[in-house]
Amino acid sequence: MSIYEFAMSIARLAGEKIREQLSHELVIETKSNPNDLVTNMDKATEAFLVAEITKHYPDHQIIGEEGHGKTITSTDGYLWVIDPIDGTLNFVHQQQNFAISIGIFHNGEKYAGIVYDVIDDKMYHAQAGQGAYLNDRPLPMLKETQLATSIISMNPNWLTKDYTYEMYAPIIRTARSARSYGSAALDFAYVALGIIDSYITLRLHPWDFSGGMIIAEEVGAVVTNQLGDKLDPLHSNSILVANSSLHKEILEQYLEPHHTALESIHKGTFSNR
């Protein structure tokens, strides 16, 4: 079994464990703010994934949302970046629209991405250079779109803040429509699937974007931060993912005029962890 196949197998096993526990009472805690939640299932799922990876690949490095690998500063060898439950608010309130996300890198280069929609049993996955899949179905390359005919995914909270409203409101006004799904990993998967055309957000951690980034790029999406720079799996960042023509339009016409403000946001709010 390859590392890629192993990653999919443990994601499925972790998903089964989550589904089996859905009727049990959750232990819910807050982290950075009252809307930043963590549950006992987040912690248990990360512990399961880390234990399985460590058992089979003891020399691999692992970064997890719930605290594993905080001291990692190098991408040498194999690096796993995992989010045990991406979309914890959805998990707590809806018991759907959340995913297990796994991104794997080898010496800093993309190796494989997994986004597992636990409730719908949909496995989005890709091995670098070999295309992307939904379960066993290959995903086609993305079609090019323009903003006026595109559906954009964005957390509406960014439209309530003075320092981002001026940047993002014109994008939403020009787009055909906008959506908010509450799971970054699924947003990436939905861009790869072609059911949304772009995902735009600030403040994503590596575990939020690593798995989905690899999947989306396999079908022709362009994934950068909002300054147009390549994403780093060890650092938090802003996100702009879209088909190539739409990415160029949003970056050049809507984000570059705010380049100075975006640089300030990056310098002031983004760090390794």
Side-chain angles (χ1 to χ4, degrees), residues 4 113 123-141 188-189 192-193 211-220:
Y4 174 46
M123 180 77 72
Y124 302 89
H125 58 100
Q127 187 170 1
Q130 298 188 26
Y133 293 80
L134 169 52
N135 295 330
D136 295 328
R137 174 166 65 91
L139 297 182
M141 298 298 287
F188 275 94
L193 193 59
M213 172 185 73
I214 295 169
I215 295 166
E217 288 185 337
E218 280 298 301
V219 294

Side-chain angles (χ1 to χ4, degrees), residues 145-152 170-171 174-176 246 249-250 254:
T145 64
Q146 301 302 307
L147 183 58
T149 58
S150 296
I151 295 178
I152 306 300
I171 298 173
T174 305
R176 174 163 283 169
L246 181 58
E249 180 181 358
I250 293 172
Y254 294 90

Side-chain angles (χ1 to χ4, degrees), residues 12-147:
R12 285 197 183 279
L13 286 172
E16 289 175 11
K17 291 178 178 292
I18 292 172
R19 288 193 295 268
E20 290 169 358
Q21 298 293 315
L22 282 177
S23 61
H24 295 199
E25 185 174 354
L26 288 174
V27 179
I28 303 170
E29 303 171 33
T30 60
K31 295 193 284 187
S32 62
N33 63 69
N35 297 322
D36 185 10
L37 303 182
V38 60
T39 73
N40 57 311
M41 283 306 304
D42 293 77
K43 295 177 179 180
T45 302
E46 179 163 308
F48 168 78
L49 292 170
V50 169
E52 288 296 309
I53 297 164
T54 302
K55 180 170 66 177
H56 289 83
Y57 304 104
D59 59 332
H60 288 195
Q61 300 191 95
I62 308 167
I63 294 174
E65 177 177 11
E66 305 313 329
H68 196 88
K70 283 186 175 180
T71 60
I72 290 174
T73 58
S74 168
T75 58
D76 291 347
Y78 280 97
L79 172 67
W80 297 64
V81 186
I82 61 176
D83 192 336
I85 298 180
D86 183 75
T88 300
L89 273 174
N90 290 350
F91 174 64
V92 170
H93 288 271
Q94 303 171 353
Q95 294 198 336
Q96 60 181 354
N97 300 319
F98 63 91
I100 295 168
S101 177
I102 301 173
I104 309 173
F105 301 84
H106 185 233
N107 292 328
E109 298 298 320
K110 299 176 296 181
Y111 171 72
I114 311 284
V115 172
Y116 182 43
D117 183 334
V118 173
I119 299 303
D120 288 343
D121 191 25
K122 291 181 177 179
M123 180 77 72
Y124 302 89
H125 58 100
Q127 187 170 1
Q130 298 188 26
Y133 293 80
L134 169 52
N135 295 330
D136 295 328
R137 174 166 65 91
L139 297 182
M141 298 298 287
L142 295 179
K143 297 178 180 178
E144 303 295 299
T145 64
Q146 301 302 307
L147 183 58

